[in-house]
Amino acid sequence: FPVTIYENGTYDTSGNTNLNLSDSNDPMYIGGFSTAYTSGLFDEIRVWNRSLTNTEINNTYQLELILYNRTNS
């Protein structure tokens, strides 16, 4: 299925994966596969059960910024 990556509400990259979450009870791993793992950090990862438009992604990102700024001012 297709995977699209956004960073800070902006499109970064996309590709395809052979992972089919709907047909599997296996856990989903983010940041690694088999013996290859990322050395970076992830913050605020979200997974939806449908494709979101670019506008929906950006609106969600902007809303979180507004909420964060209100509670951390």
Side-chain angles (χ1 to χ4, degrees), residues 30-49:
I30 297 175
F33 178 75
S34 186
T35 59
Y37 296 94
T38 184
S39 60
L41 299 173
F42 295 95
D43 184 32
E44 296 187 34
I45 294 174
R46 295 175 185 190
V47 178
W48 282 269
N49 63 353

Side-chain angles (χ1 to χ4, degrees), residues 35-67:
T35 59
Y37 296 94
T38 184
S39 60
L41 299 173
F42 295 95
D43 184 32
E44 296 187 34
I45 294 174
R46 295 175 185 190
V47 178
W48 282 269
N49 63 353
R50 66 177 180 87
S51 296
L52 274 64
T53 66
N54 291 349
T55 300
E56 289 175 311
I57 294 288
N58 192 276
N59 288 345
T60 299
Y61 175 72
Q62 295 300 325
L63 178 61
E64 289 302 314
L65 284 179
I66 292 167
L67 294 174

